[in-house]
Amino acid sequence: QVQLVESGGGLVQAGGSLRLSCAASGRTFSSYAMGWFRQAPGKEREFVTAISWSGSNTYYADSVNGRFTISRDNAKNTVYLQMNSLKPEDTAVYYCAARRPVTGSYSGVSDYDYWGQGTQVTVSS
């Protein structure tokens, strides 16, 4: 069983930066690939980024590529999302997710086994 808790959300101005953290309590955290999703009001939950268990492979949605960076520290059981050059359209609840190390799709909600409660990110214009 894996428990995930996001933190670091808040209100920032457009062009600013924010770093989200996701702390995992599972003893086998390093065995899981991790992802970040977001959900804006009235919208479907969408893929943002993912990272393999080793941290060697990362994937980004086109909408955030070049602005967001995912990383993980397995020794601290934590995954991070560094968000730069934030835009108002980045406003959403951001969710951390964990996935068992299986091959296949990595960008769908159904591809993940565990979810955090979400943290609100609001970008003002």
Side-chain angles (χ1 to χ4, degrees):
Q1 187 68 35
V2 176
Q3 292 80 42
L4 306 173
V5 180
E6 303 96 333
S7 62
L11 193 155
V12 297
Q13 293 184 343
S17 298
L18 201 63
R19 189 184 73 167
L20 306 183
S21 298
C22 174
S25 62
R27 66 179 66 186
T28 58
F29 171 77
S30 62
S31 298
Y32 291 81
M34 304 294 296
W36 287 95
F37 289 72
R38 66 187 183 186
Q39 188 165 19
K43 303 293 185 180
E44 298 291 327
R45 190 170 300 187
E46 67 174 356
F47 171 76
V48 177
T49 181
I51 188 168
S52 63
W53 67 269
S54 67
S56 298
N57 300 313
T58 57
Y59 310 90
Y60 295 93
D62 289 342
S63 59
V64 305
N65 192 37
R67 299 188 297 119
F68 291 11
T69 302
I70 188 172
S71 61
R72 67 189 298 164
D73 185 342
N74 289 344
K76 299 180 68 174
N77 291 345
T78 303
V79 63
Y80 304 95
L81 179 62
Q82 179 66 47
M83 304 183 293
N84 298 326
S85 302
L86 283 163
K87 306 174 181 179
E89 49 263 46
D90 295 319
T91 295
V93 176
Y94 283 71
Y95 297 91
C96 177
R99 178 193 186 205
R100 291 188 293 266
V102 297
T103 59
S105 177
Y106 55 85
S107 61
V109 171
S110 62
D111 296 325
Y112 293 80
D113 304 295
Y114 305 100
W115 294 85
Q117 84 290 343
T119 185
Q120 177 70 48
V121 172
T122 302
V123 184
S124 63
S125 60

